[in-house]
Amino acid sequence: MSIYKEKNRKTKELIQTSFIKILENKTFESITVGDIAKQAQINRGTFYLHFIDKFDLLDQIEQQLFADLGNRIDELQSNYSSTHTFEKEQEQLAATLFSAIKIQSPLLKIFLSDHGRAGFHLRFRAAFSEKVRLNLEKNESFKATLEVPMEYFLSFITSAFLGLIEQWVQNDLDKTPQEMTTLYINIISFIQQTNTKKV
Amino acid sequence: MSIYKEKNRKTKELIQTSFIKILENKTFESITVGDIAKQAQINRGTFYLHFIDKFDLLDQIEQQLFADLGNRIDELQSNYSSTHTFEKEQEQLAATLFSAIKIQSPLLKIFLSDHGRAGFHLRFRAAFSEKVRLNLEKNESFKATLEVPMEYFLSFITSAFLGLIEQWVQNDLDKTPQEMTTLYINIISFIQQTNTKKV
DNA sequence: CAACAAAATGAACAGATTGTTCAATTTTGT
DNA sequence: ACAAAATTGAACAATCTGTTCATTTTGTTG
């Protein structure tokens, strides 16, 4: 009974990995169920025993990706006490995000490229936007000093962060998560300098 | 002779506008050439007299969009002398971008959504990334003070800006371009404050 | 109006892909 | 050996694609 499930799971996984492999070289739009079956060396009908269609397949992989990232982030964050300063905590969250993303970078690189599916960058931002918001709102003076709508600030900062991630994965991880964190902090500091001079 | 061209142009435009109309309600993937012909009330064969396929159609609309935005930005920017401070110039560029984007917001809203085509946000960023870079590098002390690779800084700032644009068009332009510029400046100032406290 | 050119139509075509069905086969469990 | 679950292979109608070509409509010119 349990080996039946195991076999089922294994085939499903085979289909997923085969699909991702094709996705490296072909656009999602251009991939057919026949392509996937051929790559996985299974019957085309078998595909339909595991997924409704290729959209369902991609959806499930995407959901798994977000769930996995969420788990990794929560686990990494739980290792740190939150008695640090507000800024240290922001830095810590950044480090956690970069570490989690590194592990899933092969998939993220594809999903964020033009081989993926439209709107992924929005769903990805939404997936970790809530964690960022909670972290920011820990700080009491934050909401008091913030003069712009929270949704705009969140869009700004999560999108900025996504920009770094996109450059990073396109560069095939040319830096360590710690270096990326430093780079992030440096950019924030640099923006500070620019404006300080103005005033 | 020239009226033949005019008629040709008009039909091509009809196909484009009809397509965009469908795109508001359906995913690009799910739209067929038959759908477009039906909406435009033309023969399906006529479509192929003007475009290779639906991908070609979308590509051309995208190219036109970028060209139009580029022209608007250049024109708006040419109305201002560049004798202001570095920061004022950055603010001016932001105002210009928001103004140009407002005009093209209906199309941008669709293209940035999950009804569009994968990778649009990257191509969009690339389209105005160069203008931002040139504007930044005007300032001599900029390159001297910047401690991070230019490509990362550009990814960060253009992506952050895109985040504001995305929120703006999703909110159906709930603010004026000038208000968006102020909002942008406010966020930069806010980040400055946060870090100033730390030091 | 007549003659011509360009654009659009309608219909047909083969080819590819989709999602479903079902009997036969293989793999695994008891 | 027998039963259960998973997979296979083949066939099916349906849809969409891109192309072709004869015909019709629209616009131009003399």
Side-chain angles (χ1 to χ4, degrees), chain B residues 55-193:
Chain B
F55 300 97
D56 180 38
L57 169 58
L58 194 67
D59 280 348
Q60 290 195 29
I61 296 176
E62 191 174 309
Q63 289 305 315
Q64 287 170 20
L65 171 64
F66 291 152
D68 180 81
L69 281 176
N71 291 338
R72 289 183 194 282
I73 290 168
D74 290 343
E75 194 182 350
L76 285 169
Q77 281 295 84
S78 68
N79 295 339
Y80 295 87
S81 60
S82 62
T83 55
H84 301 296
T85 64
F86 178 61
E87 288 74 23
K88 265 291 172 202
E89 276 191 33
Q90 297 310 120
E91 181 175 339
Q92 178 50 48
L93 178 58
T96 292
L97 288 170
F98 282 125
S99 294
I101 279 154
K102 174 177 177 168
I103 296 170
Q104 289 288 4
S105 68
L107 203 48
L108 276 171
K109 183 176 183 178
I110 296 171
F111 279 7
L112 286 167
S113 77
D114 56 0
H115 282 198
R117 210 177 169 193
F120 176 80
H121 76 290
L122 297 173
R123 297 188 292 277
F124 180 60
R125 278 212 285 128
F128 71 90
S129 182
E130 195 60 13
K131 293 192 192 301
V132 173
R133 190 180 65 80
L134 290 173
N135 207 301
L136 288 174
E137 290 182 342
K138 278 184 188 169
N139 187 276
E140 295 172 13
S141 74
F142 177 84
K143 291 173 83 172
T145 339
L146 186 65
E147 292 176 348
V148 303
M150 187 52 149
E151 59 177 1
Y152 274 103
F153 184 79
L154 269 182
S155 289
F156 180 93
I157 200 69
T158 60
S159 204
F161 207 86
L162 175 61
L164 293 184
I165 292 168
E166 285 176 335
Q167 191 65 52
W168 193 31
V169 298
Q170 275 167 29
N171 288 3
D172 288 315
L173 307 185
D174 60 345
K175 301 190 186 307
T176 66
Q178 189 49 55
E179 285 171 340
M180 284 303 294
T181 307
T182 305
L183 190 149
Y184 171 65
I185 300 295
N186 276 348
I187 290 180
I188 300 288
S189 302
F190 181 79
I191 292 174
Q192 174 206 347
Q193 289 171 32

Side-chain angles (χ1 to χ4, degrees), chain A residues 2 6 9-10 12-13 22 43 55-56 79 91 121 123 125 135 138-139 142-143 146-148 160 183 187 193:
Chain A
S2 67
E6 176 62 14
R9 193 195 59 76
K10 219 172 172 179
K12 195 166 178 176
E13 204 171 276
I22 303 175
N43 191 277
F55 299 96
D56 180 39
N79 294 338
E91 182 175 339
H121 75 291
R123 297 187 291 277
R125 279 211 285 127
N135 208 303
K138 277 184 187 168
N139 187 278
F142 177 84
K143 292 174 82 173
L146 186 65
E147 292 176 347
V148 303
L183 190 149
I187 291 180
Q193 290 170 33

Side-chain angles (χ1 to χ4, degrees), chain B residues 4 7-8 11 42-44 46 49-50:
Chain B
Y4 282 140
K7 189 184 183 187
N8 199 289
T11 304
I42 57 162
N43 191 276
R44 192 170 68 88
T46 307
L49 295 175
H50 295 271

Side-chain angles (χ1 to χ4, degrees), chain A residues 25-123:
Chain A
N25 304 314
K26 292 184 74 174
T27 296
F28 172 68
E29 309 157 314
S30 70
I31 297 176
T32 69
V33 176
D35 292 336
I36 302 168
K38 190 179 175 185
Q39 174 74 30
Q41 294 182 296
I42 57 162
N43 191 277
R44 192 170 67 89
T46 306
F47 176 91
Y48 291 102
L49 296 176
H50 294 272
F51 301 97
I52 298 171
D53 51 28
K54 68 172 184 169
F55 299 96
D56 180 39
L57 169 57
L58 195 67
D59 280 348
Q60 289 196 30
I61 295 176
E62 191 174 308
Q63 289 304 316
Q64 286 170 22
L65 171 63
F66 291 152
D68 180 80
L69 282 176
N71 290 339
R72 288 184 196 282
I73 290 168
D74 290 343
E75 193 182 350
L76 286 169
Q77 283 293 85
S78 69
N79 294 338
Y80 295 88
S81 60
S82 62
T83 55
H84 301 296
T85 65
F86 178 60
E87 289 74 23
K88 265 292 172 202
E89 277 192 32
Q90 297 310 120
E91 182 175 339
Q92 178 51 49
L93 178 57
T96 291
L97 287 170
F98 282 124
S99 294
I101 279 153
K102 175 177 177 168
I103 297 170
Q104 289 288 3
S105 68
L107 204 48
L108 277 171
K109 184 177 183 177
I110 296 171
F111 279 6
L112 286 168
S113 78
D114 56 0
H115 282 199
R117 210 176 167 193
F120 176 79
H121 75 291
L122 297 173
R123 297 187 291 277

Side-chain angles (χ1 to χ4, degrees), chain A residues 139-194:
Chain A
N139 187 278
E140 294 172 13
S141 75
F142 177 84
K143 292 174 82 173
T145 338
L146 186 65
E147 292 176 347
V148 303
M150 187 52 149
E151 58 176 3
Y152 275 102
F153 184 80
L154 269 182
S155 289
F156 180 94
I157 200 68
T158 59
S159 203
F161 206 86
L162 174 61
L164 293 184
I165 292 167
E166 286 175 334
Q167 191 64 52
W168 193 33
V169 298
Q170 275 167 28
N171 288 4
D172 289 315
L173 307 186
D174 60 346
K175 302 190 185 305
T176 66
Q178 188 49 54
E179 286 170 340
M180 284 303 294
T181 307
T182 305
L183 190 149
Y184 171 66
I185 299 295
N186 276 348
I187 291 180
I188 299 288
S189 303
F190 182 78
I191 292 174
Q192 174 206 347
Q193 290 170 33
T194 313

